[in-house]
Each structure stands twice: as structure tokens, then as C-alpha cells.
Amino acid sequence: MSKQRKPRNKPSDPHAGREAERYDHPIASREAIMDLLRSADGPLSNERIASSLELSDERDLEALRRRLRAMQRDGQLHVDRRGAYGLVEALNLLRCRVQGHRDGYGFAQPETGEEDLYLNAREMRSLFDGDTVLVAVTGVDSRGRSEGKIVEVLERGVTKVVGRYQEESGIGVVLPDNARINQEVLIPPKFKGEAKHGQIVTVEITHYPEGRLGAKGRITEVLGEHLDPGLEIDISIRSHGIPFEWPDAVLDEAGALSEEPEEGDKKYRIDLRKKPFVTIDGEDARDFDDAVYCEKRRLGGWRLWVAIADVSHYVSVGSALDKEAIERGNSVYFPERVVPMLPEVLSNGLCSLKPEVDRLALAVEMEISKAGELKQFRFCEALIHSHARLTYTQVAEVLDGGSSDAVPGKVVPHLEQLHALYKVLRLAREERGAIDFETVETRIIFNAERKIDAIVPVQRNDAHKLIEECMLCANVAAARFFERHELPVLYRVHQGPNEKKLENLRAFLGELGLGLRGGLKPTPEDYQLLIEQISTRDDAHIVQTMLLRSLSQAVYQAENLGHFGLNYPGYAHFTSPIRRYPDLLIHRAIRSVIRSRERSKLVQRVRGASDLTKAQIYPYDEPAMAAFGTRCSLTERRADEATREVNSWLKCEYLREHVGTEFEGVVSAVTGFGLFVELNDLYIEGLVHVTSLPGDYYRFDPAQQRLVGERTGRSFQLGAAITVLVAAVNLDERKIDLEPVTLPESRKRKGSGGGAGKSAAKVSGKPPRGGKAKDKAKPEPKPKPKSKSKAKPGSRSRSTGGAQKRSASTTAKKAGQGASSGAAKRSPKGS
């Protein structure tokens, strides 16, 4: 082996000044160390790096050792078996986040946004969902997926697991509730505490799986019995790692705040207390973070004021409140329970724009033309006094020409102006070509025992829509503000469909005789035009579902790439700093301009306001903002998954009382292993497994989203009406098994057998209509399929009609349905 060549020259350190400012005893910066390793022929030991950097003092060597370890932890360096450090980028390694799958395999998601790498079950043996790892690309598997191998675990994403405690012959294990975690956690007898067999517990991981050895843990909390009311939320919160307890430092800071704004805090603000601002929210809302006021302009058009709670005044950079808000990222809204981003003294108190009290706000005044175009805007630190707390229902009654005792007469003319402005903004939205999907939101109604009493759709009226349009205007103004003031901020970015999704969409549309304009780069107008063209078709909801699935998820990022769904060149979340951390960052950025020495036509200032530099109020650079974007997007997905999981559990619990009952439904998704059916009026999904369909071999046709029988020609297509029977419900896995009773009408090949309706049910071995599942003869079990993933085009699945089905999730994972607006909230006020 040839001797490794020593780097010829000590690299210059362009960041030496920065290091000198930060440390009393500085050494080479991370950048200098990485430049040194790039110039070397291969990985270097600690000693060779120290020699090349001319470090010999004991304190310098210790500082270097710590810096190298930190760079290794952050995924910049990798240490080989000989203890030598090499650049991860030079070794072709990727820093990834692990995503587990219920079937034992997983995926490594590169932080650079590249294509996910498949991790087989062997690789996943030592990993948990959420771990941060270094991965080497090893090749391509039989399905064409890039495959990876774990080189190093950088950071564990799971420290605690929630699950059911099982004990047999003195040996205890916890079976994780999170389907993405497949490892059981062994509990030594001395660490089981007061836990009893079958209880739901929280376990702290003491030893992570390694080699053939599994994970071990210590039970720290007994949550309760399996079906205790409200337990599903406690489980989801802990399973997804959502912070729910306030640290002492946060409670101390929150406790030191007064109940009302101090008189000193009201100084140096634009006084808007005489303007009749109102808040408009749902009946069950507790935090009021936005207030609106609108008036007609003499020269035509409108002047719209949107005032947002001034959270940044109370939550300072680097404070305990700030650090905890970063950890939480957003408030999480479960049915009848909220895990807030900020303590209630702020979210429901000081920062809630309650009626008839003074409140600090960050406000934007906007001039909007007769055509609904945002012409001018100005931001200011304001003092407001809400004149009424109104609900959507109350405002809708007034706008429909009625009256409401809860709506003061003095604000009615301004509500009418808001309504007139809304109509113009709505027309402008249509002319702009923003995508307008018809979706149904639902609300769960509980009884006294906290069991589901009903699942009802949320009816959106003009009051909902006018507030949404006001918030959109304010968010657009915030994005435009930073076109003038080039600060690193977080934008809400929603990109169009990628090439693969677009290809699948066009194949589906082509089978229906439809087309999407725009070539490889369709615009929002192209999408909206197609939605309008299909509005009168019977299969409109099918086409709309496929259009929605073709879109990507909206994210937070520092680079402004526009918002495809809303068709805005720039969009930033400004209107909910109580419940979303990106909005709080936007507020700080605007405040940094208002209070800095820089003058702007886009802000209003008052004499006496402090002249501070931007850096003092907004100490963030591009890398920090990129990290915030990744973090906030992650916490948003976490909230979505947690709330979706709770809703699935509740719906499964509801249907346990309806096993054997028939329901009308619609095929909401088609896969190689069966049909997902949404039950009418309940908005609950379950699976009709392919083995429950009339006996035949079924091919999955991805272009038309259907299963087609080879012998009979019978097809089951997305959007088809179907009558099903609830056969079984698995609460632990949130799965609902359905069986067909009356099949969709379908064209069959000439001379083929297999009729519809009752005859088909008979072929499948189904019970008489209305029969209970427990009365059925138990079929022979069928071997469990290896994967739930979609079959390749041309693949086929055999239906025997009597074999036991394999369950699937109550909610099919819809790829790309995340063009949603923000963290989960039952009545979002803007995208």
C-alpha cells in the first residue's frame, strides 16, 4: 500500500475572524478542515489533521477533537475503521432520515431532496423510524428502486415508544403502537414498574437494537387500559414525539407576563382602537389571532386592514418560550383537544384579540382596486381594540340579509363592505387561475361518554370564504414585502407536478378522453380549466381526485419558488403566529425593518420607536432559515400524521358497533391488492381485499385506476358506487375490512360468467344481506402477501372468493394530497 501523501500547504481559513469572535481560544473553522480533507488523497487521522493545521497545544488538540466529533455527528465527516476522518461528500454517502414501513422494510430520505433509497428488512433491524443515518447507495433492486446500506447511525429519532405491554412467563415486551416501528422492546423485570399485561405504556429506550440483539427499555408511564376514553390522543402524541409538557423555564417566563398589555408597551404604536375591527372564527375557537376591518375608498376600491396578534413582542429570540415554540413548530388540533405551540397565557390570553380589550398587533393596511388587485400596502406595529367576537354562522346570517343579536349594528356596514370585497377577490382568484378543489372537511361529534355520536361535514359559507381571502391578501403582502427588503425568510412553497406524476395523470385522463394542457409544465390555469370542463360529468369527483394526487406537498423553505395551487409568484405565512412558527419568524423579519434605521414606504413608524439594527431583532442567515424550513415542514407533517391517526382510531371504534351492517359507498382508491371504499355520509374508508371479489384473476390497470378480471372482464374502477358490509375492525392497526354485497355495474366479455348483485355475492361466499360477520363460516387462512404496495402494470392478483382477506389502513395514503395550507386546524383561514 502506498504511503499517504501529506497535504502540501496549510489551507487558509476565510472564517478565522468569525471563529475569533465566537471563541476565546479559536481553532480552524469547519470550512478550513473540510478544505484540508478535500486536498488530501484520502481520509486523515486526528493526528495528521492536527499536524497539517499546525496545532500542538493540548487545549487546541482537545478543541479539534471536539470539533471533529461534532462534524461527524452533523453528517459532514465519516470515521472509517482505522479512525481516519473523510468527507461524507467525497465518500458518496448521503445523510438521510429513516422512514419505516409496517411490513418491515423502510426508506432513507436524503436531506438534499434526492430520490428515496429502499432499505430492506435486514437493514431496518437496527433502525427506528425517524433516525438520522449515513447511507451508501448499493445498487438497484428487482423493482427498479435505488437501494441503500446503512454506514452509520448519526442520531436517534426515537427515545421513547408507546405501546401495549405484553408479559408471558416473566418476560415482558412492549409492542409499539406506531406501525412504522417493527421492533419489539424487551423490558427487564426490574424496569417494568407498575405495568400490567395488556396496558398501554410509555417506554424509554435504554439499548438500541444492534446486530442480533433487540431493543431494551424502561417503562416510565402507564397510560391506561386499551379502550379508555381519550387514550387514543395520548398515544398519538407520544408515538409521534409531540412535546406536550411545558418545561419549568417556559412556565416561569409565561408566569412573569401580565394579564393585560402594559401601558409602556402601548407607546410608539399606530393607534387603531377607533377602527371597528372584529374577529370572525368558529363557535369553538379559543384563540383569536386575526381581526379585520374594511372600508370603501373614495376613489374606488377598498382599504382592508388585517391585524394579527403581535406574538413577537412577547416571545423574544432565544428565550425559553422561543426554544419550545421551535420544538413544537405548530399547534396540533385533535378532536376536542389542542396541543398549543405557546402556553395558554399567550395563546388564549395576551395574544388573543378578545373583544372590548386593548391588544398589541402587527397590522397591514392594504389598498385593493375595483378589480381585486392588491395595489399598495403598509405594515405597522399597532394597538387595536376588537369591537366584537363574531362567528361564521352569525356573519353568514347577516350577509344573507338577516340579523343576529350577537352582531352589533355599528359593524354591519363594514361586514357588508367585507362581503363586497370578497366577491371581487373571488372573481380575481378565478381570473388568476388558482386551483379550486371541491373537498369535504368533516367534524366528529362526541356523546357524553366521548364516543362518536356523528360524523358531519363542515359547511363552508361566505363568512369562511371572505376571511380566507383577507388572509390570502395579507400573506401575499408579506411575501411582496421581502421583494424590497432582502432578508432570509421562510416562504410557503408549493410546486407543480413532477414528470412521473404528470405522466401517470395524463395516461389516466387519456383513457377518459380528456387532456391537460401545458405540456411538461402545466400551469394552475390549465388545472382549473380542466376542473371547470368536467364539472358536469358524472365522474368529476374521480378526475378531481387524480388531479389532487398529482400535486406535491406544500413546504416551508428559504427559496421563493411560488405557490402553484394559489398561483402566486410569492407567498408567506403571516397570519397565525400563535399556532405556526414560520409566521412568528415573518413577524420578526417585518419588525426588524420597522424598527431599524432603514426607512421604507412599506412600513409606518411613529416617533420615539427604538432605532435598532436588523441583526439585533432578526439574527438569522440563510443556513439558519433553511434549517427552520426543514424543521417546520417536518413538524407540520408530524401534526398531520398524528391527527389523521387519531381520526382513524375513532372511526374504527365507531364502526366496531356496526360490524355486519351494510353501507353504500364509493371506490376512493384502487391498488393491486384491493379497493378502498369510502362509506357515504360517514366519510370512513375501509378495504375490500382482492380476495373478496368474485373469483377471478385481477389485473391492476394504473392508467384507468381499476382492477380488471381476466376471465369475466368485470372491472372495479375509481369512483364506482358499491354496497359493502363491515366484516371486521382491527382497532390496534386502524384497519377496517369490508366485503362487497352489491357490485358496481360493469361491462363483461361476451359469454363470461360472474353476475352482479346477489349472485356475485354468492360466488364469493358472502353471507345474506344484513347477516352478522360472526355467523359466517370461517375460511381457510391465506398466506399474508409480502407487500401492500401497488402492483406493477400487468401484474395480477388471484381472488378465491372465500380466502381470508388481508387488512389495510382505513385511510389510503394519497400521494401528493398535501397541497394543504398549514398545520392542522379544523377551519384554516388561508392556504
Side-chain angles (χ1 to χ4, degrees), residues 660-717:
T661 304
E662 293 179 12
F663 293 95
E664 301 297 324
V666 175
V667 176
S668 57
V670 182
T671 71
F673 55 83
L675 313 170
F676 285 95
V677 176
E678 182 178 275
L679 306 183
N680 295 348
D681 301 325
L682 293 179
Y683 308 97
I684 299 176
E685 282 186 337
L687 176 72
V688 175
H689 196 267
V690 67
T691 55
S692 291
L693 301 177
D696 202 345
Y697 283 105
Y698 286 88
R699 290 184 178 273
F700 174 56
D701 180 356
Q704 294 197 44
Q705 288 291 295
R706 64 182 180 177
L707 289 174
V708 182
E710 289 187 352
R711 181 176 60 85
T712 63
R714 177 178 294 283
S715 66
F716 300 88
Q717 188 168 8

Side-chain angles (χ1 to χ4, degrees), residues 15-30:
H15 301 284
R18 182 194 66 195
E19 298 296 309
E21 290 180 3
R22 290 183 177 179
Y23 304 101
D24 295 333
H25 196 78
I27 61 168
S29 66
R30 291 191 179 202

Side-chain angles (χ1 to χ4, degrees), residues 44 149 158 179 429 551 609 636 700 720-721 739 783:
L44 300 178
K149 179 179 179 59
V158 173
R429 179 175 182 160
L551 299 178
E636 180 184 42
F700 174 56
E739 293 183 351

